Amino acid sequence: MLKFILKRLGSAVGVLFAASLLLYILVINSGDPLGDLRESNAENREYLMQQRIDYMNLEQPWYLRYLTWFGGVGKCFVGSCDLGQNINGVEVSGLLANAASSTLRLVLLATVIAAVLGIAIGVLTAVRQYSGLDYLVTFLTFLFFSLPVFWAAVLLKEYMAIGYNDWLENPQISIGTSILIGVIVGLLLQMLLAGSLKRRGLTFLITAIFVPLLLQYSLWLNFYRYPQMGPAIIVVLTLLLALSATAMSVGLKEKKVLYPALITVVLVLVMYYATFWILKDANAWILVIGAILSVAIPGLIGKFMGGRLSKLASGVAALVGFIGAGLTVLDHIFRAWPGFLDLKGRPIGTIGSSTANLGGGFWDNFLDNATQLLLPTIVLAIISLASYSRYTRSSMLEVQQQDYIRTARSKGLSERTVIFRHAFRNALIPIATIAAFDFAGLIGGAVVTETVFGWKGMGDMFSTGLHAVDPAPVMAFFLVTGTAAILFNLLADIVYALLDPRIRV
């Protein structure tokens, strides 16, 4: 494997060199970098032209400019990258750092959401092949996949930002609308849970009654402006998660998995009170350390109590601990929401990655970044989600036809064990390729999405440099995206061997 990795890295250097040379030639021949100044009537036009020539080294032959750029890239190996200056004399290294951090915030969240939801939906529709749920999901995924990004983005700005901000000034849901929402949720839920006709009818009836009552109760509480959760709801939700995760993995009869999960629920309650005042005035490091501990401590408990099922017990306990910690953070976000509305009356932003001169504390700025991130994340996630769900469904259906799946069923293993332990792991092999290329591609920035939402990321830097016939930002964009594509492709090959030990170089 080491020989394979070194060989692939060596060939990658050659590919990047050839591609960068071709791209550089295409960019510098795509127009005149001095074109706007030639048409200018400014008195200092000659000075401005000479200044731009100096910034871009236009007096040198193109190959010397390329070699200068390539030499600056070589300095990255000693920690002092020199990617040149843009058309305005600004160091591209600084522009790249800001653009990459902005895009990573957007891409990482969108990719994780799309992968988790898409894979879960794909597995569910494969198990329930040709059911009403399968047909509905198939229709929606093809719809999402074919959506023009700019159109979807504008719709979200209109209804999820402008419309929601207007509604939030005086939240109202009529009884008729509440009933309609309850009926729709009931139909979807009975389709999702399936079972006998009696069970589905009962699910629909309970949901259709409960949801309208819940909506009207939330209005009475003025929940949308003053949301509240509290320790009781956190414990109930965490307990339901512990029971559900245990039931889905091994069943509730396996005490070696169930007990660590239940102990983690108690731990979540203890940590809620222990960290209440710390989280009230939190910072990013506190959240990161808390997230690590919320996984590590339950994981260790599961490992020591799990016996022969130690890995599974550790995983379930870690999941419960992480979600419980997330609910605790959500409780503090709810508490900060009224104050945030006082600072920013229209919370869902449509332009930019943050609000200038917002003020406030940590949670106010956290909410501002989250609300600005919401719409572009949804756009990118629903487009990628379609791919993940379809590929997962197709892969799961193919795997379920294999001999070892039939053997597992004939041995009397439960359907849950067959699906999650035998079929799912092998079905993930093609998904690893999709995830690797999807993440590498999105790192390049969604040019259309970033343009619509005014997001100053990699895509914006690329399009701005290309329009200005400025090779430095375009080459910096290529350096990041090209390297990411090659490295993630290599990572996908390594993951193959981890998912399936039969795969070897």
Side-chain angles (χ1 to χ4, degrees), residues 337-348:
W337 180 255
F340 175 66
L341 289 182
D342 292 336
L343 286 173
K344 186 180 177 183
R346 300 179 67 81
I348 308 300

Side-chain angles (χ1 to χ4, degrees), residues 260-261 263-265 267-268 271 290-305 310 312-323 325:
I263 290 173
T264 304
V265 174
L267 252 169
V268 168
M271 295 310 297
I292 294 172
L293 292 177
S294 70
V295 172
I297 295 174
L300 289 173
I301 293 173
K303 180 172 178 152
F304 286 114
M305 295 183 64
S310 60
L312 201 55
S314 180
V316 170
L319 175 65
V320 174
F322 184 75
I323 299 297

Side-chain angles (χ1 to χ4, degrees), residues 84-399:
Q85 297 175 322
N86 72 352
I87 202 168
N88 297 315
V90 179
E91 290 292 332
V92 173
S93 298
L95 294 176
L96 179 63
N98 293 331
S101 63
S102 181
T103 293
L104 276 175
R105 283 170 50 202
L106 176 61
V107 166
L108 186 61
L109 185 59
T111 304
V112 170
I113 291 173
V116 172
L117 291 181
I119 291 173
I121 291 170
V123 172
L124 184 60
T125 51
V127 173
R128 304 264 299 281
Q129 187 183 16
Y130 302 136
S131 64
L133 177 67
D134 187 25
Y135 287 124
L136 177 64
V137 169
T138 298
F139 169 74
L140 291 177
T141 52
F142 279 113
L143 177 65
F144 292 154
F145 191 75
S146 59
L147 278 179
V149 174
F150 62 89
W151 182 71
V154 170
L155 286 181
L156 284 177
K157 289 175 74 169
E158 175 64 28
Y159 294 105
M160 288 195 67
I162 298 172
Y164 175 78
N165 289 336
D166 291 340
W167 177 82
L168 194 60
E169 292 177 2
N170 183 27
Q172 293 293 330
I173 305 175
S174 67
I175 294 177
T177 304
S178 299
I179 293 173
L180 179 61
I181 293 173
V183 169
I184 294 173
V185 173
L187 288 172
L188 293 176
L189 195 59
Q190 62 84 24
M191 192 181 294
L192 181 67
L193 297 179
S196 64
L197 187 61
K198 180 180 178 182
R199 176 184 171 183
R200 295 174 70 159
L202 188 61
T203 301
F204 169 77
L205 185 62
I206 293 173
T207 305
I209 294 173
F210 177 73
V211 169
L213 293 175
L214 181 63
L215 289 174
Q216 293 301 312
Y217 181 64
S218 66
L219 287 173
W220 181 75
L221 289 176
N222 201 7
F223 178 83
Y224 303 99
R225 292 193 67 88
Y226 299 94
Q228 47 198 292
M229 183 178 288
I233 294 178
I234 292 175
V235 169
V236 170
L237 292 177
T238 311
L239 179 62
L240 290 174
L241 174 67
L243 296 175
S244 301
T246 305
M248 289 180 63
S249 56
V250 292
L252 294 176
K253 293 182 180 180
E254 284 289 353
K255 308 303 182 187
K256 291 185 179 297
V257 177
L258 179 61
Y259 287 163
L262 294 179
I263 290 173
T264 304
V265 174
V266 178
L267 252 169
V268 168
L269 179 62
V270 171
M271 295 310 297
Y272 174 85
Y273 287 106
T275 61
F276 185 85
W277 294 107
I278 297 175
L279 289 176
K280 200 166 183 179
D281 188 23
N283 57 53
W285 284 111
I286 290 176
L287 294 184
V288 170
I289 294 171
I292 294 172
L293 292 177
S294 70
V295 172
I297 295 174
L300 289 173
I301 293 173
K303 180 172 178 152
F304 286 114
M305 295 183 64
R308 60 184 179 81
L309 298 173
S310 60
K311 286 186 178 179
L312 201 55
S314 180
V316 170
L319 175 65
V320 174
F322 184 75
I323 299 297
L327 291 172
T328 302
V329 170
L330 184 62
D331 178 71
H332 285 271
I333 291 174
F334 280 180
R335 293 174 185 275
W337 180 255
F340 175 66
L341 289 182
D342 292 336
L343 286 173
K344 186 180 177 183
R346 300 179 67 81
I348 308 300
T350 58
I351 297 295
S353 56
S354 61
T355 303
N357 303 318
L358 178 70
F362 171 79
W363 290 116
D364 296 315
N365 286 279
F366 179 89
L367 280 167
D368 178 56
N369 289 326
T371 51
Q372 295 289 135
L373 192 65
L374 180 64
L375 298 186
T377 298
I378 292 175
V379 171
L380 293 178
I382 62 175
I383 302 299
S384 298
L385 184 146
S387 300
Y388 282 109
S389 63
R390 299 314 294 171
Y391 276 105
T392 303
R393 179 183 182 274
S394 176
S395 185
M396 282 290 293
L397 290 176
E398 181 180 354
V399 167

Side-chain angles (χ1 to χ4, degrees), residues 29-40:
N29 287 285
S30 64
D32 182 7
L34 302 175
D36 59 324
L37 294 178
R38 296 186 199 280
E39 299 174 359
S40 173

